[in-house]
Amino acid sequence: MRPEGLPDWLAPVEEAARTLRGDQLSRFLPPESGGGRQSAVLVLFGEGARGPELLLMERSGSLRSHAGQPSFPGGALDPEDGDPRTEGPLRAALREAWEETGLDPRGVQLFGVLPKLYIPVSSFVVTPVLGWWREPTPVSAVDPAETARVFTVPVADLTDPDNRATTVHPRGHKGPAFLVESALVWGFTAGVIDRILHYAGWERPWDRSKTVPLDWHA
């Protein structure tokens, strides 16, 4: 993992990764008992026709967990990934991204990790791994049973106030959301994006009273 050679626009993200605490990203932090299933996601920044962008995927609607939900590539650590306290999450993030989207890990430069976070509904302890797509390669859904599609979202669209909203779950839980690329990005993924935009200084004022209701399947 190395921060050298990144484009200038990624400097605020790299700096934030070195200083942020878990409680600045989410109120859901890993159990003090050490429980939970160790996992990692790849937060991959590239540069497209409209400037900086993020790689996302949409999970298959037939999955039992988080069906149809946009997410970062990622998943649980395998034993061969190594120690979850050191290199394990880095290897897992790249491996899962390759398995789900077909991207070539050799074109990705990892430059930081965010603090471990927790997804209570699935008991995953998630390490967000930050990457720069130094040499982009074609990507697509490798297994349609798991991934419906793979797509990139310009950061300009994520920061556009017209594309921002607050989701409201039937139980009353609220969270940030993005309406981009014909998708509603919400939950864990939207929470991480929201905090990155904020602490990188990219966030623009938006109407937090604009709500999108979720159903009981969410």
Side-chain angles (χ1 to χ4, degrees):
M1 187 170 65
R2 55 189 176 88
E4 298 82 9
L6 298 175
D8 292 342
W9 56 265
L10 261 180
V13 180
E14 191 275 329
E15 182 179 354
R18 289 188 280 107
T19 59
L20 283 174
R21 305 185 311 269
D23 60 3
Q24 292 176 292
L25 295 172
S26 174
R27 62 191 178 93
F28 297 112
L29 301 180
E32 294 183 2
S33 64
R37 191 176 183 189
Q38 295 293 325
S39 63
V41 296
L42 180 63
V43 184
L44 184 60
F45 291 90
E47 191 150 11
R50 296 181 52 209
E53 60 186 17
L54 268 178
L55 178 69
L56 296 177
M57 49 175 272
E58 187 174 305
R59 294 169 61 82
S60 170
S62 62
L63 293 176
R64 289 187 299 175
S65 177
H66 307 293
Q69 188 171 343
S71 67
F72 300 116
L77 270 67
D78 286 346
E80 59 266 28
D81 293 324
D83 192 337
R85 297 167 297 182
T86 55
E87 299 293 311
L90 309 184
R91 295 194 183 98
L94 289 174
R95 176 184 53 76
E96 287 282 345
W98 169 68
E99 291 177 355
E100 293 173 332
T101 75
L103 73 78
D104 187 343
R106 294 173 296 182
V108 175
Q109 176 182 335
L110 302 182
F111 66 89
V113 295
L114 298 179
K116 292 181 184 291
L117 304 175
Y118 188 58
I119 303 180
V121 68
S122 56
S123 299
F124 276 117
V125 175
V126 186
T127 301
V129 178
L130 304 177
W132 159 237
W133 210 355
R134 182 171 38 81
E135 298 178 13
T137 50
V139 290
S140 62
V142 173
D143 183 356
E146 293 189 0
T147 307
R149 64 175 174 138
V150 178
F151 59 100
T152 57
V153 182
V155 171
D157 287 351
L158 294 168
T159 60
D160 186 339
D162 289 341
N163 296 336
R164 304 216 54 182
T166 299
T167 53
V168 182
H169 193 274
R171 286 196 172 91
H173 307 310
K174 296 182 179 181
F178 301 86
L179 296 115
V180 290
E181 300 297 322
S182 302
L184 174 65
V185 183
W186 62 281
F188 174 86
T189 303
V192 171
I193 294 173
D194 172 78
R195 293 295 81 194
I196 288 175
L197 298 181
H198 176 77
Y199 286 107
W202 296 345
E203 185 179 37
R204 297 165 59 189
W206 56 283
D207 182 5
R208 297 172 187 271
S209 67
K210 176 183 174 182
T211 59
V212 176
L214 300 173
D215 61 28
W216 284 103
H217 297 289

